[in-house]
Amino acid sequence: MTRHVALSTARVAWRHSLRFRLALVYSLVALAITTLSGLVVITLLLGSMDRQFDARLNERADVLADQFTNLSKGLGQRPPAITGFTVLVDAQNRVALSSNGLNLAPGEPFPQLNEYRLPVQGTRVRAVTRKAGGFGTLWVGLPEDDLIAARESAMRALLLSALITPALMLLLGWWVGRRALAGLGQAADLADRIDPTRSLATLPLPQREDEVHRLLAAINRLLVRIEAGQAREKQLLGQIVHELGAPLTVLKASLNRAAERTGDVEVGRAALVADELTFTTQDLMQLARGQLEMKMVWHYIPARTLLGRLDRLVPGTRFEGDWSGGILCDPDRLTQALRNLLANARRAAGPDGTVSLTLEDTPEQVRFVVQDSGPGLPPELGERIFEPFISGSGSSGLGLSVSRQIAVMHGGNLTGSNQGGGAQFVLSLPSATLGDDQDDDLEETESAEVSTPAAAHR
């Protein structure tokens, strides 16, 4: 029950959720596409701007060089004025003319003639050279400040988009994934609430026939097959137990009579084995029926009546505690649960070990403490020791599962641990008290309890 509640209330951590992973993948893909497309666009844009800048620079240099080369066009006129970053260098690589902003004196050497990118007065300049007829070589430069600013702006825009786009895509992907997978989450919640001991219910299908619809439809078909398989297994198990029950009952009675008549130890041991098999078939029958199909028959019985039953079923048990009170329970079921615990304890302790059953009666609950001197519970099994067919002592593995089931049906619980060198099981039931006007009917209640079919069978 606790495990079922934990499953039904569990929620997937955000970092493990499918929609987060989808949103993350969507964001990473968007980041890759945005970055790649941005780089391509910026590369093309900057390349175009760079070509336009070179075209403008070459055009300017060609115009100036043509004016110095074709002097016939301006015969009788002075050479054109030098403007901007322009230098006319003679054959000895000395400055003949320069623009005003360069502050170069005529006759001064000009070593930057063959440099095409250089800082001039704190400004990045790109330059070209042209032959200026008989005047020498013309050096023309244009500042790259606007081009550099455009390149930096484009890279900032790319970086900003690379930061903002994934965040927006992550939020958008999370929201879209939450809406798209809402049906799957609701189906998971409904599946957590399915009780396998009842008839398995199918999951509601979404209206849109998408992948979620297909998955849930497949799960529903699987649930139908599981339910059919469980029904067949229960039916087969019930038939097997029914076929074994009657012969075992006859065999046990015959062996008990033979043991009483002959006093043979081997016959008595065989009678105990038959008794063990009888209780195993009862455990199998309870497993086949399931907890919800079992009916509880409540009686208020003296604790000593329960002690007498258990003493006959599991001889060699040491009974401790106060057995003078009464217990509200289903006597047959409670006897079955305690008998399973004592039989397991005797099997673990061995013929020379000790097994004790202590009754602790408090106003809140009644506790049955079974202690043995055996090796204790295997630590690697933990709570799995209460699952069907899980055993650490060589038994069928049904006793503890059935005993806990019976305790839960009484409103109590069954726990196990290692105490004092051996295993200790505590079966707790809610305490119940009777008023004074009901004490006189206690003997009649006990008679009614003994006359139940299950008790007669035992």
Side-chain angles (χ1 to χ4, degrees):
M1 180 66 69
T2 303
R3 183 180 179 184
H4 175 68
V5 173
L7 284 174
S8 63
T9 57
R11 289 295 179 269
V12 179
W14 63 268
R15 61 184 180 278
H16 300 308
S17 67
L18 177 60
R19 60 174 174 262
F20 174 75
R21 295 202 302 272
L22 290 176
L24 183 60
V25 172
Y26 185 53
S27 301
L28 293 177
V29 171
L31 174 61
I33 293 175
T34 301
T35 304
L36 182 60
S37 60
L39 286 175
V40 171
V41 171
I42 289 177
T43 301
L44 294 176
L45 178 62
L46 293 179
S48 176
M49 294 175 61
D50 194 69
R51 288 190 296 271
Q52 292 178 5
F53 184 88
D54 287 338
R56 178 185 172 194
L57 176 61
N58 288 319
E59 181 182 4
R60 177 182 177 86
D62 291 339
V63 170
L64 292 176
D66 183 66
Q67 292 180 357
F68 279 99
T69 302
N70 300 318
L71 294 179
S72 59
K73 295 180 181 180
L75 188 61
Q77 298 180 2
R78 299 181 59 184
I82 303 298
T83 59
F85 295 115
T86 307
V87 180
L88 181 62
V89 182
D90 59 16
Q92 287 76 32
N93 203 21
R94 296 181 181 276
V95 176
L97 295 173
S98 66
S99 57
N100 294 330
L102 292 177
N103 298 322
L104 296 176
E108 181 180 347
F110 188 70
Q112 295 87 5
L113 179 64
N114 295 322
E115 295 184 16
Y116 300 101
R117 280 185 176 166
L118 68 159
V120 176
Q121 298 179 357
T123 301
R124 295 288 303 177
V125 173
R126 186 183 303 184
V128 293
T129 57
R130 293 288 188 274
K131 289 297 181 178
F135 294 97
T137 303
L138 188 64
W139 183 90
V140 180
L142 285 179
E144 293 185 297
D145 290 345
D146 294 340
L147 189 62
I148 294 175
R151 184 182 295 112
E152 293 177 351
S153 299
M155 295 305 296
R156 283 196 298 268
L158 177 61
L159 180 61
L160 184 62
S161 64
L163 294 177
I164 294 179
T165 301
L168 294 178
M169 291 298 103
L170 183 61
L171 295 177
L172 181 61
W174 177 269
W175 180 78
V176 172
R178 184 174 183 179
R179 290 180 59 88
L181 300 177
L184 194 58
Q186 294 172 1
D189 293 337
L190 291 176
D192 282 340
R193 291 195 290 270
I194 292 179
D195 188 350
T197 60
R198 302 188 180 189
S199 178
L200 295 178
T202 56
L203 302 174
L205 299 178
Q207 296 180 354
R208 181 179 301 174
E209 296 185 3
D210 52 7
E211 288 81 358
V212 176
H213 184 283
R214 181 181 176 186
L215 174 61
L216 297 182
I219 292 176
N220 285 339
R221 292 192 294 271
L222 177 61
L223 291 175
V224 171
R225 293 196 296 270
I226 291 175
E227 185 174 11
Q230 288 180 344
R232 289 193 299 268
E233 291 174 358
K234 287 184 178 181
Q235 183 180 8
L236 178 60
L237 186 58
Q239 291 175 352
I240 294 174
V241 172
H242 182 268
E243 294 296 328
L244 290 176
L248 283 175
T249 302
V250 175
L251 178 62
K252 182 178 70 172
S254 300
L255 289 174
N256 285 333
R257 288 194 300 269
E260 292 175 359
R261 186 174 60 255
T262 63
D264 193 326
V265 177
E266 294 298 328
V267 175
R269 186 176 293 111
L272 292 177
V273 173
D275 185 63
E276 178 79 16
L277 290 176
T278 301
F279 270 93
T280 300
T281 57
Q282 293 173 357
D283 292 342
L284 287 172
M285 180 60 75
Q286 181 166 330
L287 179 67
R289 291 175 177 174
Q291 175 178 337
L292 298 178
E293 298 181 16
M294 283 179 24
K295 295 181 179 179
M296 298 288 291
V297 181
W298 295 92
H299 296 281
Y300 191 83
I301 64 171
R304 292 193 176 276
T305 301
L306 183 63
L307 186 150
R309 285 187 173 192
L310 296 173
D311 192 29
R312 291 192 302 271
L313 293 172
V314 190
T317 302
R318 186 173 71 246
F319 295 92
E320 301 176 353
D322 184 9
W323 293 81
S324 61
I327 305 172
L328 180 62
C329 63
D330 183 325
D332 293 328
R333 301 298 181 196
L334 184 58
T335 299
Q336 182 182 3
L338 292 175
R339 184 263 167 204
N340 288 340
L341 295 178
L342 292 174
N344 285 344
R346 172 52 60 193
R347 189 180 297 108
D352 299 329
T354 60
V355 176
S356 65
L357 174 59
T358 305
L359 175 59
E360 301 175 358
D361 193 358
T362 66
E364 292 79 19
Q365 63 180 359
V366 177
R367 289 163 43 95
F368 296 92
V369 182
V370 178
Q371 178 75 47
D372 65 61
S373 59
L377 300 176
E380 66 273 7
L381 292 181
E383 280 293 304
R384 294 181 60 241
I385 198 71
F386 294 104
E387 296 179 6
F389 307 111
I390 300 295
S391 174
S393 59
S395 63
S396 64
L398 290 174
L400 292 179
S401 175
V402 171
S403 297
R404 171 172 274 192
Q405 190 177 7
I406 292 174
V408 172
M409 291 180 64
H410 280 81
N413 195 14
L414 174 62
T415 59
S417 61
N418 290 323
Q419 299 289 336
Q424 182 185 90
F425 289 92
V426 179
L427 192 154
S428 58
L429 305 178
S431 181
T433 58
L434 289 177
D436 295 338
D437 56 342
Q438 294 173 299
D439 291 339
D440 295 338
D441 298 332
L442 192 57
E443 295 298 331
E444 182 179 354
T445 302
E446 181 182 357
S447 297
E449 177 272 328
V450 174
S451 65
T452 58
H457 175 70
R458 289 194 176 89

